[in-house]
Structures are given as structure tokens and as C-alpha cells.
Amino acid sequence: MLTAAGVAPAQQGVATGSVPAVRDQWTTFNGDSSGKRFSTLQQIHEKNIHSLTLNWAFQTHGPQMKGTPLMIDGVLYLTLPDHVWAVDAKTGAKIWEFVRPSEGNHIGNRGAAYYKGHLYIGTPDAHLVCIDAHTGKQVWDIEVADVKFGYYISLAPQIVKDMLLVGTSGDQADVPHAVHAYNWETGRQVWQTSSTPRATGAPGAETWPDTKTMLRGGGAMWMSGTYDPDLNLVYWGSANPHPVLAGPVRKGNNLFTDTILAMDADTGKLKWYFQANPHDTHDWDAVQTPVLFDAPYKGQQRKLLAQASGNGYYFLLDRETGEHLVTAPFVTQDWAKGIDDKGSPIPDPQHEPQPDGALTASAGFGGTDWMSPSYDPLTKLFYVTGREGYSFWYLALDENGLAADHQGGGSIALYSKYYTIAIDYETGKVKWRRESGEGFGFPGILTTAGNLLITGDLDGNVLGLNPVDGKVLWHKRLGATMNSSPMTYMVDGKQYLLTCVDGVVYAWTLPDK
């Protein structure tokens, strides 16, 4: 709904009870519970963004930042694996640092969750840690899964009611994954929902060839979910089945991998599902953020869920019922030969991994990945960082036709080109796209009521684009790819735009008058 001034009202979809609303603040990984990554701030806008200046920078002296900071009550919370910083949001001065060395996979950390004066992070050794947000002191530490089996946690925990929701990551071994809900105060587990069936006869087990194969697992939860408090549903996307590339040994659709899951927030019970990528043999995943918004569809106001999935297709669903509405490609690819009656792409066997290899007109890591998309209710466009290219896929099975490891083959990414892509939410048609370089990177997207789209490219620039047509309004060359997602906030009447590049946080503002 728009006001008379044509500006969307402040976002009210905050899942926490301790922060009132997301307008000046950024209180969750996506800014609010919807996943839109749209800010109602408009002090920085299309007419003045060209005058942005660097206000401060914070050096972590660490690896690439892959998360999104939180900003609550004038304090920024930044994360890297094993590290959390509290930083003054006006000056960039460090307030405290929390360090917890751990074993496990240190590929990245997406961020923290905040609730009632506490911070929560997942760790490389698959623990969930509670920290006092004021002092940086640890409150409690619980094990979510056993790091010795290859589990770790890379996502930012999600706050839903009085619970913390986390999912396990790990793609280096045959292990099953799940979403876990914990009490915010005690760390006691409230519920757990698996992304693959765990027993013969369980729902979805009929889509696997046998129980032994099914128990090899998969379905990692790489990204935080979204939440509709009115429907009391949480929405998460799951990753690929195992063995990752060996389709012949796990014939069937392999539920509930590569699937958008709608779960009851109180119990974790599955309410409905949509499989974005049945029988995934390319590691496409469907973990990309399920973005929630209300808008007309064919003349009727609907509660919608949109996902630009890793397989290169855009999906639009009714988030109350799971009814499929739209399936449309947003990048060029040839791995699918059509769409089935449920709206899911149909894999083309010619492009599945073969013993002597198969060339596929798809980028090696899919049409998109974990870089955050954004939905702008003013332009009514859905934005995603997409990529096109070519890749080569092969099987490596033993003399019995079985996969000896969790992969069962390999792949070579031959070429990839990136684009910032604007999609008509209602039809799935691409309205515009802008080339953003060749190579490999993960720049996410932020949109604002200042008629701005903030992102990065693979040439080392951070960019301010016009969200209507993709024209460049502002750019700064920081010399490295932004492998995180920008965010914005306001303190004492000044709007800050935050971009994280390599291990440095850059805060941009308009010059003082």
C-alpha cells in the first residue's frame, strides 16, 4: 500500500519482541522477517547519491565478510567465523570483540540474530552460542550437530516468537540435515524438522529408491528462512540430495531436498512444500531466500512467496496454500527440458553428469547462489544477482555402479558472466538486466524508498542503480568484489549505507551541510 506521497509505510514485520520496527534499524539478517531487503529510508535518494562520502571504515583484519551486520540502538554487530564485533554505528569505533576459536569449516558466517539484549551466532563446529549484547560475554553454548561428521553452521539464526531457528550446513560427507528450533533463554530444543525422510514409510520416502540410499542424506540449510506471523508459518529452502552428482544411484525426486518448506512456527510440522528442483544432479540447491510480500496476482490480492532459485528459475507461490502460480527462467540454461504440471522444471537426462562428461549451458554454481535478492514494493520488481555460462559434469562410480563418496562425480566451471536482473514479480519476465562482470563472486542487493538499488559488481565496484531501469547513479571502486549484502540504517537523523568488501566495513553518508 502506498501513501499519498507515494512512499511505502515503515516495515512492521519484525519477528522480535525487543525491537519495535525496522525502519531506522536493521534487526535481522534480511532487515525484517519478510526477506524483501527493502528499506523505507529515503534520506539518500536517486538525486543525491552521487555526493555520498565515506564516513568511516572498520578493518576486521579477517577473511572476506559474507554476512549482513545488524544495527540495533546505535550499535552494529559484525561477524566472521569465530568472531563477533560490536561497533559504534556513528563512528565505527569498536565497543567489544568476542572470539571463540573452533574446529570445523570456516567457509563463512552470514551474521547474528538479536533478541532481548542477546546475540546468537552459529559456529564452524556446529554450535549455537548466546552472547550478552552489552558486554560481549558468552551466556551459553550448545551443540546443534557433531562437527566430526562434517556439520557446521554458516547461516544467521532466525528469531521466531521466543525461539531461535538454525539449520545445519555441510556438504563434504553423507549426512542428513534439519531445521532446529531452540528456546532463546535456555537453549533447550523445542522442535526439529528434517529435510530428508529418516525412516521407511515416512512422508517423502517413496521418492527415494530405498532406505539405505535415502539415509545418505543431503538437504543442507545454508540460508536463513523467512516468517509470516499472521499465518504462523516459517519458510526455508533446502539444498541438494546425496550423493550430489550421482543421479543413477538415487532415482526419483528425492524429497525434501531442493524444496521450499512451509512449517508451523510452533511445532515445525510441514504444512506444504514445493520442490524447485526434483532429482537435482548439479548441486543447484533451493536455499535462496523465500521472499514474502502481498500483491495482486491476476487481479486478486494474494499472500505471495517468490524465490529466484539456484537452478535459474523464478518461482511465485501462494504462501498460504503453496499453490504454484509462476515458473519462469531468469537466466539462459539448458539443463531442463520443460516444466511439469506442478510447476517444477524437468531435468534433461542429456545434461546430467555422465561417465564421459556432459556439457551444460549453465554457470557451474547455478543461476544464482546465496547472494541476497530484494523485492521493491514501489517498482514491483524482484531483483536478483544471476549468472550464465558453461560447465562440464561427470560421473565417477565404482565397478558396481555405486558412488564411493558423497559426490559420485565432479564438475568443472568453464565460464560465468554475472548480471543484476529485474523480474516482473507477477509474470516472471525479465524487465531489465545489467552486466556485472565475468568470474566468480556473491554480491547481494538492497533496495530503498529513495528509488535506489545498491549492489556490487565483479570489477570491484559498489554501485547505486536506478531500480526502474538499472542505470548507474553512483559507484566507488573498492578494489575487491563485495561478497556480502549491503544494508542501511539511520542514527541521529543521518542515514548510513553499509557495504562490506573483503574484511572491511565501509559506511557511506551524505556530506554534512
Side-chain angles (χ1 to χ4, degrees), residues 353-404:
Q354 308 289 336
D356 56 352
L359 180 66
T360 301
S362 299
F365 297 93
T368 188
D369 212 310
W370 50 262
M371 42 281 216
S372 298
S374 180
Y375 173 74
D376 185 335
L378 302 181
T379 64
K380 302 188 185 306
L381 295 174
F382 184 101
Y383 304 95
V384 62
T385 301
R387 56 192 174 201
E388 297 179 343
Y390 297 91
S391 50
F392 187 78
W393 305 80
Y394 60 92
L395 283 176
L397 305 180
D398 64 18
E399 61 275 14
N400 298 314
L402 300 176

Side-chain angles (χ1 to χ4, degrees), residues 137-392:
K137 304 297 183 184
Q138 179 176 303
V139 178
W140 50 255
D141 179 331
I142 61 168
E143 182 186 75
V144 176
D146 192 338
V147 66
K148 293 183 174 57
F149 291 99
Y151 287 108
Y152 59 98
I153 298 176
S154 58
L155 54 72
Q158 179 188 15
I159 296 290
V160 174
K161 296 184 170 176
D162 281 337
M163 294 178 291
L164 292 148
L165 273 56
V166 295
T168 48
S169 303
D171 206 11
Q172 286 79 45
D174 281 334
V175 289
H177 292 275
V179 180
H180 306 252
Y182 296 94
N183 178 274
W184 74 277
E185 195 167 16
T186 65
R188 178 183 59 82
Q189 181 164 299
V190 180
W191 55 259
Q192 174 179 327
T193 298
S194 302
S195 54
T196 56
R198 298 291 179 91
T200 303
E206 71 282 1
T207 66
W208 294 79
D210 53 64
T211 301
K212 181 179 179 181
T213 305
M214 179 177 72
L215 293 179
R216 295 186 73 155
M221 298 293 187
W222 301 102
M223 298 295 294
S224 310
T226 50
Y227 171 54
D228 183 329
D230 292 333
L231 299 176
N232 200 38
L233 293 177
V234 293
Y235 306 90
W236 283 60
S238 63
N240 57 279
H242 284 189
V244 180
L245 306 178
V249 307
R250 52 169 175 78
K251 293 180 179 178
N253 285 349
N254 310 140
L255 287 171
F256 296 93
T257 63
D258 290 271
T259 297
I260 298 170
L261 305 165
M263 297 170 284
D264 182 281
D266 296 317
T267 64
K269 183 179 180 181
L270 187 62
K271 291 295 186 179
W272 58 260
Y273 70 89
F274 173 80
Q275 193 169 30
N277 197 34
H279 191 66
D280 181 6
T281 59
H282 294 91
D283 200 5
W284 294 148
D285 298 342
V287 299
Q288 290 72 30
T289 303
V291 180
L292 315 181
F293 53 92
D294 296 347
Y297 177 74
K298 293 186 176 179
Q300 180 183 357
Q301 189 73 4
R302 302 286 287 264
K303 293 180 177 296
L304 300 173
L305 180 155
Q307 184 193 62
S309 198
N311 61 14
Y313 282 87
Y314 168 85
F315 301 106
L316 185 68
L317 311 174
D318 182 308
R319 72 173 181 273
E320 186 169 9
T321 63
E323 178 188 357
H324 165 261
L325 303 174
V326 174
T327 298
F330 60 88
V331 290
T332 301
Q333 34 72 22
D334 65 359
W335 69 270
K337 62 180 181 181
I339 306 298
D340 68 19
D341 59 359
K342 298 178 181 177
S344 302
I346 304 169
D348 185 342
Q350 295 186 51
H351 292 287
E352 294 187 0
Q354 308 289 336
D356 56 352
L359 180 66
T360 301
S362 299
F365 297 93
T368 188
D369 212 310
W370 50 262
M371 42 281 216
S372 298
S374 180
Y375 173 74
D376 185 335
L378 302 181
T379 64
K380 302 188 185 306
L381 295 174
F382 184 101
Y383 304 95
V384 62
T385 301
R387 56 192 174 201
E388 297 179 343
Y390 297 91
S391 50
F392 187 78

